[in-house]
Amino acid sequence: MTKTPSIVWRGGIDNPPSHLQNNSFEFLNLTKNFEETIDWNFSDYGKLWTYNLNYFDFLNQKRIDKKFALGLIEDYITKDSFLKEGHEPYTISLRGINWIKFLAKSEIADTNVNRKLYQHYLRLKDNLEYHLLGNHLLENGYSMLFGAYYFKNEEFYKIASGILKEEMEEQILEDGAHFELSPMYHQIMLYRLLDCINLLKDNSWKKDVLYSFLIKKAKKMLGWLATITYSNGDIPMVNDCAHDIAPTSRALFNYAEYLDISFNKTPLKESGYRKFIGKDYELFVDVGNIGPDYQPGHAHSDTFSFELYLKEQPYIVEVGTSTYEKNENRQKERQTSSHNTVMLNNMEQTQVWGGFRVGKRSKACVMEDKKEHVLACHDGYKSIGARHLRKFVSSDEKITIQDQVLMKRNHKLNQTAFFHFHPSIEELIIFENKVILPQGKIMLEFSKSILGIKEVKYEYALGFNKTTKAKRIEVDFQEDLTTHIHIVDKN
């Protein structure tokens, strides 16, 4: 057992403040003050809040008192036998990294803390999340690497190296995206990867091919993130994505610079996402599948959805994610009608249910893929003999979206296209087949054959447990639908 800090820790990204004062904590926009003693199993705010309490991210926020922070660790240790979520492998993984970074940078050598930390890593070693795979197993691997370096443990290192090499080959797609296709989780996975590179860079216990392997993967992930990030720093809120959870793209790019990792933007392909840049706009579209077939828990029924930014401001947006609880809000945010795509006969393209479950799923196929346009089809409605084709065409001052429904059987369908506007769009002017956004300086013009346009309010996710009212339109049509989005702001 080590008796002194055994690694060096410098740099990195400060975690956002979640410990407020005394025994008060804020996670997911919900605050709890533990007046006398901290209940590390506190569950009134849901499982994810409890998870966050047990992560100990607050140890690495700015300006936390070192003595007080160590006291929180010691309090946690005294209650170890009563922990619930705190003994789960995912929380052990994140907490282990946070404890090690804090102890190393604070130059704290505490035998009692090290003993408990080692016990937690033994528990993690025996409970690696191969039953879940995806980002959970990757987090296990990241953390085992920290545990290996901190305790100079060859077994931990062998486990970590094996997980990271195998899972990163599987989970990082050729265009650099994390395969669960959530930009938020991509940022989180990249953050942890950069932490591992930082660990290996400043500590010479091991020098082998793992370091160069991690650098190679980081370059690809950084390149993908640089391509999909909007010019104002936002990320597309596709699949499970929430504001103020992951480090920002800018913070990650700065971290990469600190680590002397250079990278270039990469073309989008395998992730199924595409991005078009006009004179004053950025258009992000999804023409891919929902994610890995064996781990679609963070997927939404959102095939062919898109987002539109004009002069660095969001106008047509994804609804986002406000909860992971298995409730009505979670179901709504994942369903087809909460995305900027087409719904047939009120059916889901992809069956999403149970919070993180997916049944029948849409399969997409890209048919044409050019610099100025992309055409794709999906089979999410094959049970009624229908396929949906959507084409996005980009020019400097206009975007054209062409929707076509191909039927095996000749009968009419209820066909609705959805367009969700950012909460800053306070007024919509609907006139015949046009929708004018006075604030947004854009106009949507639809085929004259549409059946009608309806304005509906929806809940836009500002973050976890935080929503606000916004407006969307529902366009009913029977024949093919053509949508022209005119960029009319010439200033």
Side-chain angles (χ1 to χ4, degrees), residues 90-203:
Y90 190 75
T91 52
I92 291 175
S93 296
L94 273 61
R95 185 175 63 251
I97 293 175
N98 280 317
W99 280 22
I100 288 171
K101 289 197 294 187
F102 169 75
L103 294 170
K105 72 181 180 183
S106 301
E107 298 183 341
I108 293 174
D110 188 303
T111 302
N112 188 42
V113 172
N114 285 346
R115 182 181 295 112
K116 183 55 64 178
L117 179 60
Y118 189 76
Q119 290 173 2
H120 287 169
Y121 270 107
L122 291 176
R123 180 188 290 268
L124 175 60
K125 175 180 72 72
D126 293 335
N127 293 277
L128 299 167
E129 295 176 278
Y130 281 99
H131 61 297
L132 292 177
L133 300 170
N135 71 83
H136 276 245
L137 183 57
L138 196 51
E139 291 280 23
N140 298 163
Y142 288 143
S143 191
M144 289 301 295
L145 188 65
F146 268 80
Y149 266 72
Y150 190 74
F151 293 110
K152 304 294 187 290
N153 187 294
E154 293 284 352
E155 184 183 14
F156 290 176
Y157 180 81
K158 182 178 179 181
I159 292 170
S161 179
I163 290 175
L164 293 178
K165 288 178 180 177
E166 182 174 353
E167 290 304 313
M168 296 202 81
E169 287 289 3
E170 170 77 10
Q171 296 191 33
I172 308 307
L173 302 178
E174 191 60 33
D175 67 359
H178 182 256
F179 76 159
E180 292 185 65
L181 303 179
S182 156
M184 179 186 79
Y185 277 97
H186 181 98
Q187 289 176 319
I188 294 171
M189 294 300 99
L190 176 57
Y191 171 34
R192 220 79 72 198
L193 174 57
L194 294 177
D195 268 354
C196 288
I197 292 170
N198 194 7
L199 174 73
L200 271 58
K201 183 172 184 287
D202 279 348
N203 297 276

Side-chain angles (χ1 to χ4, degrees), residues 204-216:
S204 58
W205 177 58
K206 288 281 187 182
K207 287 293 183 184
D208 64 8
V209 295
L210 183 60
Y211 182 74
S212 59
F213 173 82
L214 297 181
I215 291 285
K216 179 181 176 182

